[in-house]
Amino acid sequence: MGLRLLLCLILSALFLHHSIGIESELELLSRELLESTRQPEFFDWMIGLRRRIHQYPELGFEEHRTSQLVRSELDSLGIKYKWPVAKTGVVASIGSGSKPVFALRADMDALPLQELVEWEYKSKIDGKMHACGHDSHVAMLLGAAKLLQAKKDMLKGTVKLVFQPGEEGYAGAYHMLQDGILDDIDAILSIHIFPSVPTGAIASRAGPILAGVGLFSATIKGKGGHAAAPHQTRDPILATAFAILSLQQIISRETNPLEAGVVTVGYMKGGEAANVIPESVTIGGTYRSLSMDGLSYLQKRIREVIEHQALVHHCSAEVDFMEETPLPHPVMVNDEGLYEHVKQVGEVLLGQDNVQLLPVTMGAEDFSFFSQRTAAAIFVIGSGNKTLKSDKHLHSPYFFIDEEALPVGAALHAAATISYLEKNVPEAEM
């Protein structure tokens, strides 16, 4: 018994020493990476990239200029890539080419929004703006690419850098996954700038984190005529008004109060004159749920409500859910193991107090298509700074970011990658 006890103690001590060694290596590596990104030359380079992209925003699958910038930077770093992937997307590779394969993703597209922030690098394209931080995502991923390329000889596997087009309603992630170049990934991380979290902190959570989302549009057709003779018309405005009110009752009267759901009508277009009843009215909106069954139910009821309310008012309706996009996007579910890994890296990189638990929200991300294919996790990088007024919400024309967030994102990407590959080396190679 004494010998067995001694052996157990020796093995425990060796294991503890090994674990402490790994943690110490991770701490040293993380500190080195973060310090590298904060060096003036590196930091200014990332800021320059972000501002160049910000000034020339491009909508989904139109990111030609942005894609060219990405490819030029990859060329200058000596990193090989495949292009085009899903029209304007780029997938680069660093490392041995063997397993494991860890992927990092950044979306590239902007929004159809007029920027109202007055600053030197304001959007030069009328009606288009990077109001969701995708310009910073690209800059941070290129920053990570530079860090990883410098350490390519120590990578115990392969990292793929995914520069994705068309996140804002175009299902760009889905279309990139149709290309075989991403079939071999074992896990994928995405980071998103977030103004509600202070600069220098990150946040996420395991399990469901973002809603599944669908969009709809509907055209209610009636019979137009003079407003003085409504009895001779079939009023599509009245039918539409009843339809919109009835849609709200799907959540308030048909959905379990303990289950999250959203039905929002975001626009209504119809009529041009105060004394004319129009021929038709068009509406559009979004529906969201934290379960796929919930999404299916909402889609079914939205169609029924609009079509039946039109019929009650002697009108007809055509409802489109844009399923060819494809929509809806699935619920975003963070893989628990990958979440814990990145969380640990974040705590080492930034300190435990700067790794926060992110509340579940009904926002959505097409990154969820990746989560259906492989282990995936999304983390937010804080950019909130009231002094800089970088606390305005995503998709606001006043959205602005604290560029001090860029080094954090680049270092987190790189540290999470190197440590993941180290931990997941195939047994035959250990």
Side-chain angles (χ1 to χ4, degrees):
M1 289 292 291
L3 182 58
R4 287 183 181 178
L5 179 59
L6 180 61
L7 286 171
C8 287
L9 289 171
I10 291 171
L11 289 172
S12 297
L14 287 172
F15 177 76
L16 179 61
H17 176 75
H18 179 68
S19 298
I20 293 172
I22 290 175
E23 291 177 5
S24 298
E25 288 176 12
L26 176 58
E27 186 173 353
L28 290 171
L29 171 67
S30 299
R31 187 182 302 121
E32 177 195 342
L33 293 169
L34 187 56
E35 288 175 354
S36 294
T37 60
R38 285 175 170 165
Q39 291 298 313
E41 184 178 352
F42 197 116
F43 186 35
D44 291 345
W45 170 70
M46 279 198 297
I47 288 176
L49 292 174
R50 182 252 160 175
R51 291 176 177 179
R52 285 159 59 192
I53 298 168
H54 188 88
Q55 286 183 296
Y56 295 95
E58 298 168 301
L59 303 184
F61 296 119
E62 298 175 2
E63 309 94 332
H64 303 289
R65 186 187 186 108
T66 306
S67 180
Q68 179 60 60
L69 181 149
V70 167
R71 300 194 310 275
S72 295
E73 293 299 325
L74 293 173
D75 285 335
S76 69
L77 293 170
I79 298 173
K80 295 180 180 180
Y81 56 84
K82 179 179 180 180
W83 168 83
V85 180
K87 295 185 180 179
T88 54
V90 181
V91 177
S93 296
I94 305 172
S96 65
S98 60
K99 289 282 194 174
V101 179
F102 190 69
L104 301 170
R105 172 263 201 176
D107 37 16
M108 301 190 295
D109 56 326
L111 286 159
L113 198 65
Q114 185 67 41
E115 181 168 7
L116 298 180
V117 182
E118 295 299 331
W119 67 305
E120 184 179 355
Y121 299 97
K122 181 179 179 180
S123 170
K124 293 181 179 291
I125 310 299
D126 285 343
K128 297 178 185 180
M129 176 190 177
H130 271 292
C132 200
H134 297 188
D135 50 348
S136 65
H137 301 171
V138 174
M140 289 186 286
L141 187 51
L142 285 170
K146 190 170 187 175
L147 294 171
L148 291 166
Q149 179 69 349
K151 294 187 176 296
K152 62 182 179 180
D153 294 335
M154 69 177 289
L155 297 179
K156 302 296 177 61
T158 307
V159 55
K160 292 194 173 181
L161 311 173
V162 181
F163 295 89
Q164 179 205 308
E167 186 274 330
E168 298 288 357
Y170 298 90
Y174 170 86
H175 293 288
M176 289 205 85
L177 284 166
Q178 306 315 299
D179 193 295
I181 194 168
L182 296 173
D183 287 350
D184 60 349
I185 61 175
D186 298 299
I188 184 168
L189 170 66
S190 181
I191 60 176
H192 200 298
I193 210 77
F194 205 61
S196 300
V197 174
T199 304
I202 65 173
S204 191
R205 70 185 303 122
I209 185 170
L210 295 169
V213 60
L215 300 173
F216 67 90
S217 65
T219 300
I220 293 87
K221 297 179 180 179
K223 178 183 176 184
H226 201 291
H231 61 291
Q232 296 176 353
T233 71
R234 298 291 181 261
D235 190 347
I237 289 182
L238 185 63
T240 301
F242 273 87
I244 291 172
L245 289 172
S246 298
L247 287 173
Q248 306 313 305
Q249 295 171 28
I250 298 174
I251 301 299
S252 68
R253 286 297 175 267
E254 298 181 28
T255 302
N256 186 332
L258 300 179
E259 297 177 4
V262 170
V263 175
T264 295
V265 176
Y267 69 83
M268 180 172 70
K269 300 175 183 177
E272 299 292 338
N275 62 346
V276 177
I277 292 172
E279 291 286 329
S280 65
V281 175
T282 301
I283 62 173
T286 181
Y287 59 102
R288 297 162 188 250
S289 175
L290 290 174
S291 75
M292 294 307 294
D293 287 344
L295 284 173
S296 296
Y297 180 79
L298 292 178
Q299 186 184 87
K300 170 176 171 290
R301 289 295 289 135
I302 288 168
R303 182 185 296 279
E304 291 174 350
V305 165
I306 294 173
E307 289 180 347
H308 291 171
Q309 284 294 344
L311 189 61
V312 164
H313 293 88
H314 302 287
C315 295
S316 62
E318 295 178 0
V319 185
D320 180 15
F321 290 101
M322 290 151 286
E323 291 168 301
E324 71 283 355
T325 298
L327 285 166
H329 297 350
V331 179
M332 178 60 216
V333 181
N334 271 353
D335 177 80
E336 186 170 351
L338 184 56
Y339 162 76
E340 289 294 340
H341 168 72
V342 181
K343 175 174 174 282
Q344 179 190 6
V345 173
E347 289 173 345
V348 171
L349 188 71
L350 305 168
Q352 290 187 359
D353 291 343
N354 286 317
V355 180
Q356 302 178 3
L357 185 66
L358 189 69
V360 177
T361 77
M362 300 306 286
E365 248 279 359
D366 76 349
F367 186 63
S368 57
F369 284 108
F370 284 102
S371 73
Q372 289 195 319
R373 180 75 67 88
T374 189
I378 187 167
F379 273 68
V380 299
I381 305 294
S383 65
N385 185 327
K386 290 186 178 181
T387 302
L388 293 176
K389 298 182 179 180
S390 64
D391 56 346
K392 302 298 186 291
H393 60 81
L394 300 172
H395 292 210
S396 163
Y398 296 100
F399 177 76
F400 193 68
I401 75 164
D402 182 355
E403 292 173 326
E404 293 291 336
L406 300 183
V408 175
L412 181 66
H413 264 324
T417 298
I418 295 170
S419 53
Y420 177 91
L421 296 177
E422 183 75 34
K423 287 181 178 180
N424 292 276
V425 176
E427 290 184 10
E429 298 179 17
M430 295 179 69

